[in-house]
PDB file of all heavy atoms in Angstrom:
ATOM      1  N   ILE A 251     -64.691  37.318 -13.234  1.00 93.00           N
ATOM      2  CA  ILE A 251     -64.670  38.693 -13.492  1.00 93.00           C
ATOM      3  C   ILE A 251     -65.594  39.436 -12.566  1.00 93.00           C
ATOM      4  O   ILE A 251     -66.759  39.212 -12.284  1.00 93.00           O
ATOM      5  CB  ILE A 251     -65.243  39.033 -14.969  1.00 93.00           C
ATOM      6  CG1 ILE A 251     -64.336  38.342 -15.966  1.00 93.00           C
ATOM      7  CG2 ILE A 251     -65.288  40.451 -15.282  1.00 93.00           C
ATOM      8  CD1 ILE A 251     -64.776  38.436 -17.343  1.00 93.00           C
ATOM      9  N   GLU A 252     -65.003  40.488 -11.876  1.00 93.00           N
ATOM     10  CA  GLU A 252     -65.734  41.369 -10.882  1.00 93.00           C
ATOM     11  C   GLU A 252     -66.449  42.352 -11.657  1.00 93.00           C
ATOM     12  O   GLU A 252     -66.054  42.713 -12.746  1.00 93.00           O
ATOM     13  CB  GLU A 252     -64.783  41.930  -9.822  1.00 93.00           C
ATOM     14  CG  GLU A 252     -64.129  40.912  -9.091  1.00 93.00           C
ATOM     15  CD  GLU A 252     -63.181  41.619  -8.065  1.00 93.00           C
ATOM     16  OE1 GLU A 252     -63.694  41.938  -6.980  1.00 93.00           O
ATOM     17  OE2 GLU A 252     -62.026  41.825  -8.375  1.00 93.00           O
ATOM     18  N   LYS A 253     -67.693  42.738 -11.202  1.00 88.00           N
ATOM     19  CA  LYS A 253     -68.594  43.601 -11.968  1.00 88.00           C
ATOM     20  C   LYS A 253     -67.928  44.934 -12.174  1.00 88.00           C
ATOM     21  O   LYS A 253     -67.595  45.727 -11.349  1.00 88.00           O
ATOM     22  CB  LYS A 253     -69.944  43.845 -11.270  1.00 88.00           C
ATOM     23  CG  LYS A 253     -70.907  44.609 -12.100  1.00 88.00           C
ATOM     24  CD  LYS A 253     -72.315  44.641 -11.780  1.00 88.00           C
ATOM     25  CE  LYS A 253     -73.181  45.262 -12.777  1.00 88.00           C
ATOM     26  NZ  LYS A 253     -74.685  45.367 -12.358  1.00 88.00           N
ATOM     27  N   PRO A 254     -67.693  45.296 -13.590  1.00 83.00           N
ATOM     28  CA  PRO A 254     -67.248  46.619 -13.861  1.00 83.00           C
ATOM     29  C   PRO A 254     -68.333  47.631 -14.145  1.00 83.00           C
ATOM     30  O   PRO A 254     -69.400  47.224 -14.378  1.00 83.00           O
ATOM     31  CB  PRO A 254     -66.445  46.207 -15.150  1.00 83.00           C
ATOM     32  CG  PRO A 254     -67.303  45.160 -15.862  1.00 83.00           C
ATOM     33  CD  PRO A 254     -67.912  44.341 -14.691  1.00 83.00           C
ATOM     34  N   ASN A 255     -67.989  48.846 -14.143  1.00 80.00           N
ATOM     35  CA  ASN A 255     -68.953  49.891 -14.556  1.00 80.00           C
ATOM     36  C   ASN A 255     -69.089  49.758 -16.137  1.00 80.00           C
ATOM     37  O   ASN A 255     -68.330  48.977 -16.756  1.00 80.00           O
ATOM     38  CB  ASN A 255     -68.548  51.254 -14.161  1.00 80.00           C
ATOM     39  CG  ASN A 255     -67.286  51.849 -14.826  1.00 80.00           C
ATOM     40  OD1 ASN A 255     -66.956  51.483 -15.985  1.00 80.00           O
ATOM     41  ND2 ASN A 255     -66.479  52.362 -13.923  1.00 80.00           N
ATOM     42  N   PHE A 256     -70.050  50.450 -16.728  1.00 76.00           N
ATOM     43  CA  PHE A 256     -70.353  50.132 -18.039  1.00 76.00           C
ATOM     44  C   PHE A 256     -69.190  50.530 -19.069  1.00 76.00           C
ATOM     45  O   PHE A 256     -68.972  49.632 -19.974  1.00 76.00           O
ATOM     46  CB  PHE A 256     -71.676  51.075 -18.452  1.00 76.00           C
ATOM     47  CG  PHE A 256     -72.035  50.851 -19.892  1.00 76.00           C
ATOM     48  CD1 PHE A 256     -72.652  49.806 -20.309  1.00 76.00           C
ATOM     49  CD2 PHE A 256     -71.852  51.810 -20.776  1.00 76.00           C
ATOM     50  CE1 PHE A 256     -73.188  49.560 -21.574  1.00 76.00           C
ATOM     51  CE2 PHE A 256     -72.136  51.664 -22.187  1.00 76.00           C
ATOM     52  CZ  PHE A 256     -72.773  50.471 -22.569  1.00 76.00           C
ATOM     53  N   PHE A 257     -68.402  51.482 -18.707  1.00 78.00           N
ATOM     54  CA  PHE A 257     -67.413  51.913 -19.609  1.00 78.00           C
ATOM     55  C   PHE A 257     -66.140  50.929 -19.508  1.00 78.00           C
ATOM     56  O   PHE A 257     -65.599  50.561 -20.551  1.00 78.00           O
ATOM     57  CB  PHE A 257     -66.973  53.229 -19.280  1.00 78.00           C
ATOM     58  CG  PHE A 257     -67.946  54.396 -19.613  1.00 78.00           C
ATOM     59  CD1 PHE A 257     -68.631  55.020 -18.567  1.00 78.00           C
ATOM     60  CD2 PHE A 257     -68.257  54.724 -20.948  1.00 78.00           C
ATOM     61  CE1 PHE A 257     -69.569  55.843 -18.831  1.00 78.00           C
ATOM     62  CE2 PHE A 257     -69.121  55.617 -21.211  1.00 78.00           C
ATOM     63  CZ  PHE A 257     -69.875  56.304 -20.211  1.00 78.00           C
ATOM     64  N   LYS A 258     -66.057  50.415 -18.314  1.00 81.00           N
ATOM     65  CA  LYS A 258     -65.010  49.293 -18.148  1.00 81.00           C
ATOM     66  C   LYS A 258     -65.446  48.043 -18.747  1.00 81.00           C
ATOM     67  O   LYS A 258     -64.549  47.233 -19.263  1.00 81.00           O
ATOM     68  CB  LYS A 258     -64.704  49.088 -16.542  1.00 81.00           C
ATOM     69  CG  LYS A 258     -63.865  50.158 -16.006  1.00 81.00           C
ATOM     70  CD  LYS A 258     -63.569  49.873 -14.534  1.00 81.00           C
ATOM     71  CE  LYS A 258     -62.697  50.913 -13.839  1.00 81.00           C
ATOM     72  NZ  LYS A 258     -62.378  50.609 -12.442  1.00 81.00           N
ATOM     73  N   LEU A 259     -66.855  47.835 -18.765  1.00 77.00           N
ATOM     74  CA  LEU A 259     -67.257  46.691 -19.480  1.00 77.00           C
ATOM     75  C   LEU A 259     -67.022  46.746 -20.953  1.00 77.00           C
ATOM     76  O   LEU A 259     -66.564  45.718 -21.611  1.00 77.00           O
ATOM     77  CB  LEU A 259     -68.702  46.534 -19.258  1.00 77.00           C
ATOM     78  CG  LEU A 259     -69.440  45.243 -19.875  1.00 77.00           C
ATOM     79  CD1 LEU A 259     -69.040  43.955 -19.270  1.00 77.00           C
ATOM     80  CD2 LEU A 259     -70.977  45.426 -19.744  1.00 77.00           C
ATOM     81  N   LEU A 260     -67.196  47.829 -21.530  1.00 79.00           N
ATOM     82  CA  LEU A 260     -66.855  48.032 -22.979  1.00 79.00           C
ATOM     83  C   LEU A 260     -65.401  47.774 -23.319  1.00 79.00           C
ATOM     84  O   LEU A 260     -64.972  47.322 -24.243  1.00 79.00           O
ATOM     85  CB  LEU A 260     -67.308  49.436 -23.469  1.00 79.00           C
ATOM     86  CG  LEU A 260     -68.757  49.642 -23.409  1.00 79.00           C
ATOM     87  CD1 LEU A 260     -69.153  51.026 -23.960  1.00 79.00           C
ATOM     88  CD2 LEU A 260     -69.634  48.684 -24.311  1.00 79.00           C
ATOM     89  N   TRP A 261     -64.587  48.417 -22.393  1.00 85.00           N
ATOM     90  CA  TRP A 261     -63.149  48.222 -22.535  1.00 85.00           C
ATOM     91  C   TRP A 261     -62.804  46.745 -22.454  1.00 85.00           C
ATOM     92  O   TRP A 261     -61.857  46.265 -23.168  1.00 85.00           O
ATOM     93  CB  TRP A 261     -62.413  49.085 -21.561  1.00 85.00           C
ATOM     94  CG  TRP A 261     -60.899  48.911 -21.441  1.00 85.00           C
ATOM     95  CD1 TRP A 261     -60.280  48.392 -20.446  1.00 85.00           C
ATOM     96  CD2 TRP A 261     -59.890  49.186 -22.421  1.00 85.00           C
ATOM     97  NE1 TRP A 261     -58.851  48.476 -20.762  1.00 85.00           N
ATOM     98  CE2 TRP A 261     -58.658  48.899 -22.014  1.00 85.00           C
ATOM     99  CE3 TRP A 261     -60.147  49.787 -23.769  1.00 85.00           C
ATOM    100  CZ2 TRP A 261     -57.562  49.063 -22.827  1.00 85.00           C
ATOM    101  CZ3 TRP A 261     -58.950  49.981 -24.593  1.00 85.00           C
ATOM    102  CH2 TRP A 261     -57.704  49.632 -24.048  1.00 85.00           C
ATOM    103  N   LEU A 262     -63.394  46.083 -21.448  1.00 79.00           N
ATOM    104  CA  LEU A 262     -63.058  44.703 -21.207  1.00 79.00           C
ATOM    105  C   LEU A 262     -63.481  43.818 -22.479  1.00 79.00           C
ATOM    106  O   LEU A 262     -62.879  42.827 -22.776  1.00 79.00           O
ATOM    107  CB  LEU A 262     -63.675  44.194 -19.939  1.00 79.00           C
ATOM    108  CG  LEU A 262     -63.296  42.821 -19.466  1.00 79.00           C
ATOM    109  CD1 LEU A 262     -61.981  42.774 -19.149  1.00 79.00           C
ATOM    110  CD2 LEU A 262     -64.231  42.538 -18.155  1.00 79.00           C
ATOM    111  N   ALA A 263     -64.696  44.269 -22.910  1.00 78.00           N
ATOM    112  CA  ALA A 263     -65.074  43.501 -24.120  1.00 78.00           C
ATOM    113  C   ALA A 263     -64.186  43.625 -25.366  1.00 78.00           C
ATOM    114  O   ALA A 263     -63.878  42.664 -26.095  1.00 78.00           O
ATOM    115  CB  ALA A 263     -66.453  43.975 -24.475  1.00 78.00           C
ATOM    116  N   MET A 264     -63.502  44.911 -25.491  1.00 81.00           N
ATOM    117  CA  MET A 264     -62.702  45.080 -26.544  1.00 81.00           C
ATOM    118  C   MET A 264     -61.383  44.258 -26.357  1.00 81.00           C
ATOM    119  O   MET A 264     -60.818  43.619 -27.219  1.00 81.00           O
ATOM    120  CB  MET A 264     -62.330  46.520 -26.729  1.00 81.00           C
ATOM    121  CG  MET A 264     -63.361  47.483 -27.170  1.00 81.00           C
ATOM    122  SD  MET A 264     -62.949  49.192 -27.195  1.00 81.00           S
ATOM    123  CE  MET A 264     -61.539  49.130 -28.477  1.00 81.00           C
ATOM    124  N   ARG A 265     -60.834  44.255 -25.031  1.00 83.00           N
ATOM    125  CA  ARG A 265     -59.675  43.383 -24.780  1.00 83.00           C
ATOM    126  C   ARG A 265     -59.943  41.940 -25.016  1.00 83.00           C
ATOM    127  O   ARG A 265     -59.167  41.115 -25.238  1.00 83.00           O
ATOM    128  CB  ARG A 265     -59.219  43.707 -23.332  1.00 83.00           C
ATOM    129  CG  ARG A 265     -58.751  45.080 -23.142  1.00 83.00           C
ATOM    130  CD  ARG A 265     -58.284  45.312 -21.718  1.00 83.00           C
ATOM    131  NE  ARG A 265     -57.222  44.465 -21.326  1.00 83.00           N
ATOM    132  CZ  ARG A 265     -55.876  44.770 -21.584  1.00 83.00           C
ATOM    133  NH1 ARG A 265     -55.598  45.811 -22.327  1.00 83.00           N
ATOM    134  NH2 ARG A 265     -54.957  43.952 -21.088  1.00 83.00           N
ATOM    135  N   LEU A 266     -61.249  41.532 -24.726  1.00 80.00           N
ATOM    136  CA  LEU A 266     -61.699  40.084 -24.922  1.00 80.00           C
ATOM    137  C   LEU A 266     -61.532  39.785 -26.320  1.00 80.00           C
ATOM    138  O   LEU A 266     -61.181  38.600 -26.725  1.00 80.00           O
ATOM    139  CB  LEU A 266     -63.086  39.892 -24.363  1.00 80.00           C
ATOM    140  CG  LEU A 266     -63.581  38.472 -24.397  1.00 80.00           C
ATOM    141  CD1 LEU A 266     -62.777  37.577 -23.631  1.00 80.00           C
ATOM    142  CD2 LEU A 266     -65.168  38.558 -23.911  1.00 80.00           C
ATOM    143  N   VAL A 267     -62.037  40.604 -27.142  1.00 77.00           N
ATOM    144  CA  VAL A 267     -61.851  40.291 -28.748  1.00 77.00           C
ATOM    145  C   VAL A 267     -60.444  40.086 -29.124  1.00 77.00           C
ATOM    146  O   VAL A 267     -60.065  39.175 -29.909  1.00 77.00           O
ATOM    147  CB  VAL A 267     -62.410  41.611 -29.425  1.00 77.00           C
ATOM    148  CG1 VAL A 267     -62.158  41.396 -30.954  1.00 77.00           C
ATOM    149  CG2 VAL A 267     -64.010  41.726 -29.244  1.00 77.00           C
ATOM    150  N   PHE A 268     -59.463  40.812 -28.488  1.00 79.00           N
ATOM    151  CA  PHE A 268     -58.116  40.547 -28.880  1.00 79.00           C
ATOM    152  C   PHE A 268     -57.350  39.735 -27.976  1.00 79.00           C
ATOM    153  O   PHE A 268     -56.110  39.727 -27.959  1.00 79.00           O
ATOM    154  CB  PHE A 268     -57.377  42.071 -28.890  1.00 79.00           C
ATOM    155  CG  PHE A 268     -57.891  42.939 -29.979  1.00 79.00           C
ATOM    156  CD1 PHE A 268     -58.863  43.893 -29.821  1.00 79.00           C
ATOM    157  CD2 PHE A 268     -57.423  42.752 -31.262  1.00 79.00           C
ATOM    158  CE1 PHE A 268     -59.344  44.787 -30.800  1.00 79.00           C
ATOM    159  CE2 PHE A 268     -57.986  43.512 -32.303  1.00 79.00           C
ATOM    160  CZ  PHE A 268     -58.879  44.548 -32.072  1.00 79.00           C
TER     161      PHE A 268
END
Side-chain angles (χ1 to χ4, degrees):
I251 299 179
E252 297 181 87
K253 185 167 186 179
N255 63 42
F256 181 72
F257 295 104
K258 286 185 178 179
L259 178 67
L260 293 179
W261 173 244
L262 188 60
M264 290 178 61
R265 293 180 65 82
L266 182 60
V267 170
F268 294 100

